[in-house]
Amino acid sequence: QVQLVESGGGVVQPGGSLRLSCAASGFTFSSYGMHWVRQAPGKGLEWVAFIRYDGSNKYYADSVKGRFTISRDNSKNTLYLQMNSLRAEDTAVYYCAKDPYDIVATYYFDYWGQGTLVTVSS
Amino acid sequence: SYELTQPPSVSVSPGQTARITCSGDALPKQYAYWYQQKPGQAPVLVIYKDSERPSGIPERFSGSSSGTTVTLTISGVQAEDEADYYCQSADSSGTPYVVFGGGTKLTVL
């Protein structure tokens, strides 16, 4: 069965950096686009970033563009999110999520991890 | 950019039918997707491409589309259906743009 397990969350000061990881199993990771989606405490869902199955294309929400970098290592079945210049408004649970179709991205999410909490606070 | 608008809350009694709407100008051109999220849990896809139901999702969940509004219908609501529901759409014609509605809290009275 598909499993997505995030890690790397924690407390970081404003302006700091953090790298999140998402370990994938139960499917051919190298064939699917992957996303990061976040949810601030008590708020709704916000799409953060997408990476194509082969890493050739990456897209970001305007709110994180230039500060966050999505990447993947298909040999390790792992998705990453490097977060720099963190702000208080980046405080959220960060979910990795799988795109449903192999090769061709459809920009919705058929499986989600359980999330990892990032808190940006001094 | 565009927005998706949902009512903040919907309340129904057990066994009744709940309807949650989602409105957006791009919905006639783009598919809508629905997610259920229970407290402390990750979202779960319950409807894709406006009206398709993933395997494992109960038949009481259905989706429909009309113009700029899509609707998630839960027939014969059960206590376990109490959750937040989010609609989502995406425009991938150029640089992808993914948007969620603000979410609707479904309360089972």
PDB file of all heavy atoms in Angstrom, chain B residues 2 16 18 25 28-30 33 35 37 41 43 45 47 59 63 70 86 103-104:
ATOM      1  N   TYR B   2      -7.448  32.657  -9.337  1.00  0.00           N
ATOM      2  CA  TYR B   2      -8.873  32.642  -9.048  1.00  0.00           C
ATOM      3  C   TYR B   2      -9.103  31.982  -7.706  1.00  0.00           C
ATOM      4  O   TYR B   2      -8.198  31.394  -7.134  1.00  0.00           O
ATOM      5  CB  TYR B   2      -9.638  31.919 -10.156  1.00  0.00           C
ATOM      6  CG  TYR B   2      -9.344  30.448 -10.296  1.00  0.00           C
ATOM      7  CD1 TYR B   2     -10.137  29.500  -9.667  1.00  0.00           C
ATOM      8  CD2 TYR B   2      -8.285  30.004 -11.070  1.00  0.00           C
ATOM      9  CE1 TYR B   2      -9.888  28.149  -9.805  1.00  0.00           C
ATOM     10  CE2 TYR B   2      -8.022  28.662 -11.217  1.00  0.00           C
ATOM     11  CZ  TYR B   2      -8.835  27.737 -10.591  1.00  0.00           C
ATOM     12  OH  TYR B   2      -8.570  26.406 -10.743  1.00  0.00           O
ATOM     13  N   GLN B  16     -29.877  12.249   7.031  1.00  0.00           N
ATOM     14  CA  GLN B  16     -30.269  13.247   6.038  1.00  0.00           C
ATOM     15  C   GLN B  16     -29.183  13.393   4.971  1.00  0.00           C
ATOM     16  O   GLN B  16     -28.141  12.747   5.026  1.00  0.00           O
ATOM     17  CB  GLN B  16     -30.528  14.595   6.727  1.00  0.00           C
ATOM     18  CG  GLN B  16     -31.758  14.619   7.592  1.00  0.00           C
ATOM     19  CD  GLN B  16     -32.112  16.026   8.046  1.00  0.00           C
ATOM     20  OE1 GLN B  16     -31.247  16.875   8.249  1.00  0.00           O
ATOM     21  NE2 GLN B  16     -33.411  16.280   8.212  1.00  0.00           N
ATOM     22  N   ALA B  18     -26.494  15.816   3.051  1.00  0.00           N
ATOM     23  CA  ALA B  18     -25.702  17.043   3.167  1.00  0.00           C
ATOM     24  C   ALA B  18     -25.205  17.437   1.786  1.00  0.00           C
ATOM     25  O   ALA B  18     -24.745  16.593   1.008  1.00  0.00           O
ATOM     26  CB  ALA B  18     -24.519  16.817   4.103  1.00  0.00           C
ATOM     27  N   ASP B  25     -15.061  30.840 -10.789  1.00  0.00           N
ATOM     28  CA  ASP B  25     -15.255  31.197 -12.193  1.00  0.00           C
ATOM     29  C   ASP B  25     -14.611  30.202 -13.147  1.00  0.00           C
ATOM     30  O   ASP B  25     -15.060  30.059 -14.296  1.00  0.00           O
ATOM     31  CB  ASP B  25     -14.689  32.597 -12.455  1.00  0.00           C
ATOM     32  CG  ASP B  25     -15.524  33.690 -11.799  1.00  0.00           C
ATOM     33  OD1 ASP B  25     -16.697  33.415 -11.458  1.00  0.00           O
ATOM     34  OD2 ASP B  25     -14.999  34.804 -11.629  1.00  0.00           O
ATOM     35  N   PRO B  28     -16.156  25.871 -14.756  1.00  0.00           N
ATOM     36  CA  PRO B  28     -16.668  25.280 -16.014  1.00  0.00           C
ATOM     37  C   PRO B  28     -15.556  24.717 -16.900  1.00  0.00           C
ATOM     38  O   PRO B  28     -15.827  23.886 -17.775  1.00  0.00           O
ATOM     39  CB  PRO B  28     -17.350  26.472 -16.689  1.00  0.00           C
ATOM     40  CG  PRO B  28     -17.731  27.373 -15.565  1.00  0.00           C
ATOM     41  CD  PRO B  28     -16.610  27.246 -14.570  1.00  0.00           C
ATOM     42  N   LYS B  29     -14.321  25.174 -16.684  1.00  0.00           N
ATOM     43  CA  LYS B  29     -13.207  24.742 -17.534  1.00  0.00           C
ATOM     44  C   LYS B  29     -12.280  23.746 -16.849  1.00  0.00           C
ATOM     45  O   LYS B  29     -11.482  23.082 -17.518  1.00  0.00           O
ATOM     46  CB  LYS B  29     -12.382  25.950 -17.967  1.00  0.00           C
ATOM     47  CG  LYS B  29     -13.188  27.033 -18.687  1.00  0.00           C
ATOM     48  CD  LYS B  29     -12.298  28.154 -19.174  1.00  0.00           C
ATOM     49  CE  LYS B  29     -11.693  28.963 -18.064  1.00  0.00           C
ATOM     50  NZ  LYS B  29     -12.690  29.812 -17.377  1.00  0.00           N
ATOM     51  N   GLN B  30     -12.341  23.678 -15.546  1.00  0.00           N
ATOM     52  CA  GLN B  30     -11.419  22.840 -14.789  1.00  0.00           C
ATOM     53  C   GLN B  30     -12.184  21.841 -13.936  1.00  0.00           C
ATOM     54  O   GLN B  30     -13.267  22.155 -13.433  1.00  0.00           O
ATOM     55  CB  GLN B  30     -10.536  23.709 -13.872  1.00  0.00           C
ATOM     56  CG  GLN B  30      -9.803  24.837 -14.565  1.00  0.00           C
ATOM     57  CD  GLN B  30      -8.761  24.352 -15.549  1.00  0.00           C
ATOM     58  OE1 GLN B  30      -8.334  23.197 -15.487  1.00  0.00           O
ATOM     59  NE2 GLN B  30      -8.349  25.218 -16.455  1.00  0.00           N
ATOM     60  N   TYR B  33     -12.089  18.689  -7.269  1.00  0.00           N
ATOM     61  CA  TYR B  33     -11.762  17.537  -6.437  1.00  0.00           C
ATOM     62  C   TYR B  33     -12.202  17.872  -5.009  1.00  0.00           C
ATOM     63  O   TYR B  33     -12.194  19.035  -4.599  1.00  0.00           O
ATOM     64  CB  TYR B  33     -10.253  17.270  -6.486  1.00  0.00           C
ATOM     65  CG  TYR B  33      -9.720  17.222  -7.901  1.00  0.00           C
ATOM     66  CD1 TYR B  33      -9.235  18.370  -8.514  1.00  0.00           C
ATOM     67  CD2 TYR B  33      -9.773  16.053  -8.635  1.00  0.00           C
ATOM     68  CE1 TYR B  33      -8.804  18.350  -9.828  1.00  0.00           C
ATOM     69  CE2 TYR B  33      -9.331  16.014  -9.951  1.00  0.00           C
ATOM     70  CZ  TYR B  33      -8.858  17.170 -10.545  1.00  0.00           C
ATOM     71  OH  TYR B  33      -8.435  17.141 -11.846  1.00  0.00           O
ATOM     72  N   TYR B  35     -11.853  16.753  -0.771  1.00  0.00           N
ATOM     73  CA  TYR B  35     -11.099  16.050   0.258  1.00  0.00           C
ATOM     74  C   TYR B  35     -11.851  16.145   1.580  1.00  0.00           C
ATOM     75  O   TYR B  35     -12.429  17.176   1.910  1.00  0.00           O
ATOM     76  CB  TYR B  35      -9.703  16.663   0.425  1.00  0.00           C
ATOM     77  CG  TYR B  35      -8.909  16.673  -0.849  1.00  0.00           C
ATOM     78  CD1 TYR B  35      -8.996  17.750  -1.721  1.00  0.00           C
ATOM     79  CD2 TYR B  35      -8.106  15.599  -1.209  1.00  0.00           C
ATOM     80  CE1 TYR B  35      -8.296  17.758  -2.915  1.00  0.00           C
ATOM     81  CE2 TYR B  35      -7.398  15.597  -2.396  1.00  0.00           C
ATOM     82  CZ  TYR B  35      -7.505  16.680  -3.248  1.00  0.00           C
ATOM     83  OH  TYR B  35      -6.808  16.683  -4.432  1.00  0.00           O
ATOM     84  N   GLN B  37     -11.258  15.882   5.689  1.00  0.00           N
ATOM     85  CA  GLN B  37     -10.214  15.921   6.701  1.00  0.00           C
ATOM     86  C   GLN B  37     -10.829  15.897   8.088  1.00  0.00           C
ATOM     87  O   GLN B  37     -11.565  16.802   8.465  1.00  0.00           O
ATOM     88  CB  GLN B  37      -9.336  17.155   6.549  1.00  0.00           C
ATOM     89  CG  GLN B  37      -8.127  17.136   7.488  1.00  0.00           C
ATOM     90  CD  GLN B  37      -7.236  18.357   7.355  1.00  0.00           C
ATOM     91  OE1 GLN B  37      -7.702  19.467   7.080  1.00  0.00           O
ATOM     92  NE2 GLN B  37      -5.933  18.171   7.532  1.00  0.00           N
ATOM     93  N   GLN B  41      -5.911  14.520  11.353  1.00  0.00           N
ATOM     94  CA  GLN B  41      -5.594  13.560  10.290  1.00  0.00           C
ATOM     95  C   GLN B  41      -5.296  14.273   8.983  1.00  0.00           C
ATOM     96  O   GLN B  41      -5.623  15.447   8.796  1.00  0.00           O
ATOM     97  CB  GLN B  41      -6.756  12.585  10.089  1.00  0.00           C
ATOM     98  CG  GLN B  41      -7.056  11.722  11.296  1.00  0.00           C
ATOM     99  CD  GLN B  41      -8.146  10.705  11.015  1.00  0.00           C
ATOM    100  OE1 GLN B  41      -8.437  10.369   9.855  1.00  0.00           O
ATOM    101  NE2 GLN B  41      -8.755  10.192  12.074  1.00  0.00           N
ATOM    102  N   PRO B  43      -5.756  14.917   4.928  1.00  0.00           N
ATOM    103  CA  PRO B  43      -6.918  14.873   4.026  1.00  0.00           C
ATOM    104  C   PRO B  43      -6.990  13.553   3.268  1.00  0.00           C
ATOM    105  O   PRO B  43      -5.978  12.896   3.038  1.00  0.00           O
ATOM    106  CB  PRO B  43      -6.658  16.036   3.066  1.00  0.00           C
ATOM    107  CG  PRO B  43      -5.732  16.948   3.806  1.00  0.00           C
ATOM    108  CD  PRO B  43      -4.867  16.048   4.628  1.00  0.00           C
ATOM    109  N   LEU B  45      -8.882  11.969  -0.296  1.00  0.00           N
ATOM    110  CA  LEU B  45      -9.624  12.261  -1.528  1.00  0.00           C
ATOM    111  C   LEU B  45     -10.934  11.480  -1.531  1.00  0.00           C
ATOM    112  O   LEU B  45     -10.924  10.255  -1.413  1.00  0.00           O
ATOM    113  CB  LEU B  45      -8.767  11.869  -2.737  1.00  0.00           C
ATOM    114  CG  LEU B  45      -9.371  12.073  -4.121  1.00  0.00           C
ATOM    115  CD1 LEU B  45      -9.503  13.560  -4.449  1.00  0.00           C
ATOM    116  CD2 LEU B  45      -8.519  11.369  -5.187  1.00  0.00           C
ATOM    117  N   ILE B  47     -13.727  12.636  -3.872  1.00  0.00           N
ATOM    118  CA  ILE B  47     -14.284  12.796  -5.215  1.00  0.00           C
ATOM    119  C   ILE B  47     -13.189  13.390  -6.098  1.00  0.00           C
ATOM    120  O   ILE B  47     -12.496  14.333  -5.689  1.00  0.00           O
ATOM    121  CB  ILE B  47     -15.512  13.719  -5.244  1.00  0.00           C
ATOM    122  CG1 ILE B  47     -16.688  13.089  -4.494  1.00  0.00           C
ATOM    123  CG2 ILE B  47     -15.916  14.076  -6.686  1.00  0.00           C
ATOM    124  CD1 ILE B  47     -17.319  11.879  -5.183  1.00  0.00           C
ATOM    125  N   GLU B  59     -20.425   4.752  -1.235  1.00  0.00           N
ATOM    126  CA  GLU B  59     -21.292   5.227  -2.322  1.00  0.00           C
ATOM    127  C   GLU B  59     -22.130   6.432  -1.921  1.00  0.00           C
ATOM    128  O   GLU B  59     -22.647   7.142  -2.800  1.00  0.00           O
ATOM    129  CB  GLU B  59     -22.208   4.095  -2.774  1.00  0.00           C
ATOM    130  CG  GLU B  59     -21.496   2.969  -3.500  1.00  0.00           C
ATOM    131  CD  GLU B  59     -22.463   1.928  -4.011  1.00  0.00           C
ATOM    132  OE1 GLU B  59     -23.689   2.136  -3.939  1.00  0.00           O
ATOM    133  OE2 GLU B  59     -21.985   0.876  -4.495  1.00  0.00           O
ATOM    134  N   GLY B  63     -20.519  13.574  -6.373  1.00  0.00           N
ATOM    135  CA  GLY B  63     -20.210  14.935  -6.780  1.00  0.00           C
ATOM    136  C   GLY B  63     -20.918  15.285  -8.065  1.00  0.00           C
ATOM    137  O   GLY B  63     -21.235  14.419  -8.882  1.00  0.00           O
ATOM    138  N   VAL B  70     -19.729  23.522  -8.131  1.00  0.00           N
ATOM    139  CA  VAL B  70     -19.678  22.075  -7.955  1.00  0.00           C
ATOM    140  C   VAL B  70     -20.233  21.758  -6.580  1.00  0.00           C
ATOM    141  O   VAL B  70     -20.161  22.590  -5.658  1.00  0.00           O
ATOM    142  CB  VAL B  70     -18.252  21.507  -8.111  1.00  0.00           C
ATOM    143  CG1 VAL B  70     -17.769  21.683  -9.541  1.00  0.00           C
ATOM    144  CG2 VAL B  70     -17.297  22.157  -7.146  1.00  0.00           C
ATOM    145  N   TYR B  86     -12.855  20.049   1.770  1.00  0.00           N
ATOM    146  CA  TYR B  86     -12.213  21.056   0.930  1.00  0.00           C
ATOM    147  C   TYR B  86     -12.399  20.715  -0.546  1.00  0.00           C
ATOM    148  O   TYR B  86     -12.170  19.566  -0.944  1.00  0.00           O
ATOM    149  CB  TYR B  86     -10.710  21.121   1.205  1.00  0.00           C
ATOM    150  CG  TYR B  86     -10.350  21.607   2.588  1.00  0.00           C
ATOM    151  CD1 TYR B  86     -10.201  20.717   3.651  1.00  0.00           C
ATOM    152  CD2 TYR B  86     -10.152  22.967   2.842  1.00  0.00           C
ATOM    153  CE1 TYR B  86      -9.865  21.161   4.923  1.00  0.00           C
ATOM    154  CE2 TYR B  86      -9.827  23.421   4.108  1.00  0.00           C
ATOM    155  CZ  TYR B  86      -9.681  22.513   5.147  1.00  0.00           C
ATOM    156  OH  TYR B  86      -9.353  22.963   6.398  1.00  0.00           O
ATOM    157  N   GLY B 103     -12.761  25.590   2.800  1.00  0.00           N
ATOM    158  CA  GLY B 103     -13.174  24.495   3.662  1.00  0.00           C
ATOM    159  C   GLY B 103     -14.551  24.693   4.264  1.00  0.00           C
ATOM    160  O   GLY B 103     -14.960  25.831   4.535  1.00  0.00           O
ATOM    161  N   THR B 104     -15.266  23.587   4.450  1.00  0.00           N
ATOM    162  CA  THR B 104     -16.596  23.590   5.061  1.00  0.00           C
ATOM    163  C   THR B 104     -16.601  22.580   6.198  1.00  0.00           C
ATOM    164  O   THR B 104     -16.270  21.418   6.005  1.00  0.00           O
ATOM    165  CB  THR B 104     -17.666  23.208   4.034  1.00  0.00           C
ATOM    166  OG1 THR B 104     -17.683  24.161   2.973  1.00  0.00           O
ATOM    167  CG2 THR B 104     -19.036  23.130   4.694  1.00  0.00           C
TER     168      THR B 104
END
